[in-house]
Amino acid sequence: MAREAFVTLATNDRYCEGALVVAQSLRRHKTRREIVVLITPQVSTICRSRLSVLFDHVIVVDVLDSNDEAHLALLHRPELGVTFTKLHCWRLVQYTKCVFLDADTLVLTNVDELFERNELSASPDAGWPDMFNSGVFVFTPSMETYNDLIKLADTDGSFDGGDQGLLNSYFSEWSTSDTSKRLPFLYNMHSTATYTYSPAFAQYGKDTKIVHFIGFVKPWNHKYDEKTGEVTQVEGPGIHEETLVKQWWKVWAEVQGLEGMRKTTTV
Amino acid sequence: MAREAFVTLATNDRYCEGALVVAQSLRRHKTRREIVVLITPQVSTICRSRLSVLFDHVIVVDVLDSNDEAHLALLHRPELGVTFTKLHCWRLVQYTKCVFLDADTLVLTNVDELFERNELSASPDAGWPDMFNSGVFVFTPSMETYNDLIKLADTDGSFDGGDQGLLNSYFSEWSTSDTSKRLPFLYNMHSTATYTYSPAFAQYGKDTKIVHFIGFVKPWNHKYDEKTGEVTQVEGPGIHEETLVKQWWKVWAEVQGLEGMRKTTTV
Ligand SMILES: O=c1ccn([C@@H]2O[C@H](COP(=O)(O)OP(=O)(O)O)[C@@H](O)[C@H]2O)c(=O)[nH]1
Ligand SMILES: O=c1ccn([C@@H]2O[C@H](COP(=O)(O)OP(=O)(O)O)[C@@H](O)[C@H]2O)c(=O)[nH]1
Ligand SMILES: [Mn+2]
Ligand SMILES: [Mn+2]
């Protein structure tokens, strides 16, 4: 039978917290697909053991880095060169189809219907909507695609220094291809869109399927009061809708309660 | 023969300055279509005479206002209820097809190929990319559509209090319809996108066809030094790429130099 999986990525212990929430948010909505996390060698042993509680497979890959300081400076995100590591997901050829989810996403409902779509299906990026956002996408593992992507990274690099620029150059026909490749924005609802166009969020936001906490500040950077359930957002560029950040922390609390997690310290 | 036209709108003298620049930007790129402006009674006589220099037709229409303070407050743009006046464009049944352009747009090249598209073709809105931005769209004048829109405005109103919310509710199949209805973002490049995703602007921005100066502050609100060609942007939410604002002022200078404009004072 065809094997299909959700895949995420964490190159360090902070992003592992996000990955745990991604997995738990899929499980609580009863996904029928496998769940896989790619990690790099620097992830600690304790985090690996926690990941193994929620993921079907924890797979160690090499760090891939664009080392493209010039383009990353344009993006004001020097840390994102390492997102080239995401390319390893195409090597998961034991699966016939996968859905990649950034570690800073939160699944709000069962989204297994995504596996009916084909490579490369993704939602528009709110910053430049003729590009897709690479935080959520449907893909087909293939060593040939992997090698092509690595070659393109070598020859042309990425115009934003991260995986999103590279993937948009490679799958450049996305914006003009048929609409089945265009996932609704609700599958990758940028948590900042609630401020840039709040009437649209008020109208459509209740049907959000996957939230994506884009930007430098992530939910795990905020302060959460376990007793009151209140979140205090840290200062920083881009601010997330508070109700969404609270939902992230609610799922984090569930993760903490799971058998096998208790032996570790909290965030 | 089929009559086709570009259409814009100005309900007051400030937006007339924008409309003049829209018309001149179309003329300098040698459009072969007619150019029409809808104005409301409050536009001054002097502005009307200036408009008549650049437009084939200056058509007076009634003000239509959503009077929807609650939704406009969400948008932080109390002044946009009056954009319902845009709906009058569907009454231009002397034309078989039209392209609407907001008065805060600037055409950078010949875009007559837009008339090959059908109603309703538009670019995605960067704030919520499953909606179209209503600053640039291809439409078919029709009294039936006009009446339906007025009816919808009466019964359901607009979820953002402006024309964009209403038009997206009416043409709600836009985001899932075939890709020919989806104009590339470069036909409605929001001048703020240059900041929200500057690597994409660096990569694709040079091919921009129509700039849209969205937001509360418009190019005509900035200060321009005729001698140096320098622009000083006023403070305010949302900031426009400076090179684009300068291009707007360059076309404004052309407008000022036209026969029939000199008798009026400058901005
Ligand atoms: O130091 C890093 C930065 C990023 N990532 C992974 O790469 C994805 C993309 O980065 P991020 O989500 O921070 O970018 P944004 O969505 O804010 O553009 C993350 O979700 C993680 O899966 C990671 O593992 N370590
Ligand atoms: O007081 C107003 C406000 C708007 N408009 C017209 O309605 C359009 C939409 O408004 P605006 O461009 O200010 O909205 P934005 O694009 O910033 O959302 C303008 O371009 C004008 O054509 C107008 O004539 N008078
Ligand atoms: Mn992300
Ligand atoms: Mn506008």
Side-chain angles (χ1 to χ4, degrees):
Chain A
M1 205 204 109
R3 279 180 77 190
E4 298 176 334
F6 287 99
V7 181
T8 187
L9 164 70
T11 68
N12 59 46
D13 284 11
R14 287 327 295 272
Y15 276 94
C16 282
E17 295 165 10
L20 287 167
V21 166
V22 170
Q24 173 64 10
S25 72
L26 285 164
R27 297 237 178 265
R28 72 204 296 268
H29 295 295
K30 308 206 184 317
T31 180
R32 301 180 63 162
R33 299 307 191 285
E34 293 181 48
I35 317 183
V36 174
V37 60
L38 305 178
I39 60 168
T40 52
Q42 76 179 103
V43 170
S44 69
T45 317
I46 190 141
C47 276
R48 293 180 196 206
S49 86
R50 305 180 77 186
L51 290 168
S52 65
V53 173
L54 272 166
F55 285 88
D56 296 300
H57 301 282
V58 181
I59 299 174
V60 184
V61 297
D62 296 334
V63 172
L64 295 175
D65 198 311
S66 72
N67 292 313
D68 181 355
E69 285 170 32
H71 281 114
L72 291 165
L74 270 183
L75 204 59
H76 304 294
R77 298 287 300 278
E79 77 279 18
L80 288 190
V82 75
T83 63
F84 268 28
T85 309
K86 202 184 277 189
L87 304 181
H88 282 297
C89 71
W90 267 274
R91 293 175 57 212
L92 298 170
V93 290
Q94 60 272 46
Y95 299 102
T96 47
K97 199 186 280 184
C98 294
V99 171
F100 186 89
L101 298 173
D102 260 11
D104 59 344
T105 59
L106 176 69
V107 178
L108 300 182
T109 181
N110 185 295
V111 292
D112 287 359
E113 72 275 11
L114 284 173
F115 290 92
E116 292 161 20
R117 308 262 182 165
N118 293 317
E119 176 171 284
L120 188 286
S121 295
S123 303
D125 185 84
W128 192 274
D130 274 5
M131 289 181 43
F132 57 87
N133 183 286
S134 64
V136 176
F137 59 89
V138 183
F139 70 102
T140 305
S142 148
M143 282 309 295
E144 198 184 332
T145 308
Y146 173 75
N147 290 327
D148 284 353
L149 283 165
I150 296 294
K151 213 177 291 165
L152 185 66
D154 263 2
T155 53
D156 294 19
S158 162
F159 68 78
D160 68 1
D163 66 292
Q164 181 161 306
L166 184 75
L167 292 175
N168 272 276
S169 297
Y170 187 78
F171 296 103
S172 60
E173 76 296 351
W174 174 83
S175 80
T176 50
S177 64
D178 72 294
T179 40
S180 73
K181 301 272 173 76
R182 182 177 301 271
L183 299 180
F185 187 57
L186 295 172
Y187 283 97
N188 185 345
M189 208 288 287
H190 311 0
S191 55
T192 48
T194 62
Y195 290 93
T196 48
Y197 196 18
S198 58
F201 180 68
Q203 177 81 354
Y204 302 117
K206 61 183 180 318
D207 298 322
T208 301
K209 291 172 187 290
I210 303 176
V211 188
H212 185 185
F213 295 96
I214 61 165
F216 180 70
V217 180
K218 302 301 184 192
W220 52 87
N221 298 130
H222 298 308
K223 281 210 185 77
Y224 177 70
D225 184 325
E226 271 188 41
K227 292 210 188 73
T228 63
E230 289 303 310
V231 168
T232 316
Q233 302 212 21
V234 299
E235 302 284 315
I239 191 148
H240 308 294
E241 170 71 18
E242 187 174 295
T243 54
L244 299 175
V245 176
K246 282 186 183 169
Q247 281 179 274
W248 188 94
W249 278 96
K250 202 181 133 203
V251 180
W252 175 252
E254 286 179 11
V255 169
Q256 292 303 101
L258 292 174
E259 191 77 35
M261 295 287 171
R262 288 173 191 278
K263 61 181 176 297
T264 65
T265 52
T266 52
V267 197
Chain B
M1 205 202 108
R3 278 180 78 188
E4 298 176 335
F6 287 99
V7 181
T8 187
L9 164 71
T11 67
N12 59 46
D13 284 11
R14 288 325 295 271
Y15 276 95
C16 281
E17 294 165 13
L20 288 167
V21 166
V22 170
Q24 173 64 11
S25 72
L26 285 164
R27 297 236 178 266
R28 72 204 297 266
H29 296 295
K30 308 207 183 318
T31 180
R32 301 180 64 163
R33 299 308 191 283
E34 293 182 47
I35 316 182
V36 174
V37 60
L38 305 178
I39 60 168
T40 51
Q42 76 180 102
V43 170
S44 68
T45 316
I46 190 142
C47 276
R48 294 180 195 207
S49 86
R50 304 181 78 186
L51 291 169
S52 65
V53 172
L54 271 166
F55 285 88
D56 295 300
H57 301 282
V58 180
I59 299 174
V60 184
V61 297
D62 297 333
V63 172
L64 294 175
D65 198 311
S66 72
N67 293 313
D68 181 354
E69 284 170 34
H71 281 115
L72 291 166
L74 270 184
L75 204 59
H76 303 292
R77 299 286 301 277
E79 77 278 19
L80 290 191
V82 75
T83 63
F84 268 29
T85 309
K86 202 184 274 189
L87 303 181
H88 282 296
C89 71
W90 266 275
R91 292 175 57 212
L92 298 170
V93 291
Q94 59 272 45
Y95 299 102
T96 47
K97 199 185 281 184
C98 294
V99 172
F100 186 89
L101 297 174
D102 260 12
D104 59 345
T105 60
L106 177 69
V107 177
L108 301 181
T109 181
N110 185 296
V111 292
D112 286 359
E113 72 275 11
L114 283 173
F115 291 91
E116 292 161 19
R117 308 262 182 166
N118 293 317
E119 177 171 283
L120 184 288
S121 295
S123 303
D125 185 83
W128 192 275
D130 274 5
M131 289 181 41
F132 57 87
N133 182 286
S134 63
V136 176
F137 60 88
V138 182
F139 70 102
T140 305
S142 148
M143 282 309 293
E144 199 184 333
T145 309
Y146 173 75
N147 290 328
D148 284 353
L149 282 165
I150 295 295
K151 215 177 291 166
L152 185 66
D154 263 2
T155 54
D156 294 20
S158 162
F159 68 78
D160 69 1
D163 65 293
Q164 180 161 306
L166 183 75
L167 292 175
N168 272 276
S169 297
Y170 187 77
F171 296 104
S172 60
E173 77 296 350
W174 173 83
S175 80
T176 49
S177 64
D178 73 293
T179 41
S180 73
K181 300 272 172 75
R182 183 176 301 270
L183 298 181
F185 187 58
L186 295 171
Y187 283 97
N188 186 344
M189 208 289 286
H190 311 0
S191 55
T192 47
T194 62
Y195 290 93
T196 48
Y197 196 17
S198 58
F201 180 68
Q203 177 81 353
Y204 302 117
K206 61 182 181 318
D207 298 323
T208 300
K209 291 174 187 288
I210 303 176
V211 188
H212 186 186
F213 295 95
I214 61 165
F216 180 69
V217 180
K218 302 300 184 192
W220 54 86
N221 298 130
H222 298 309
K223 280 211 184 76
Y224 177 70
D225 184 325
E226 271 188 42
K227 292 210 187 72
T228 62
E230 288 305 309
V231 169
T232 315
Q233 302 210 22
V234 298
E235 301 284 315
I239 190 147
H240 309 294
E241 170 71 18
E242 187 174 295
T243 54
L244 299 174
V245 176
K246 282 186 183 169
Q247 281 179 273
W248 188 93
W249 279 96
K250 203 182 131 201
V251 180
W252 175 253
E254 285 179 14
V255 169
Q256 292 303 102
L258 292 173
E259 192 75 35
M261 296 287 172
R262 288 173 191 278
K263 60 181 176 296
T264 66
T265 52
T266 52
V267 197

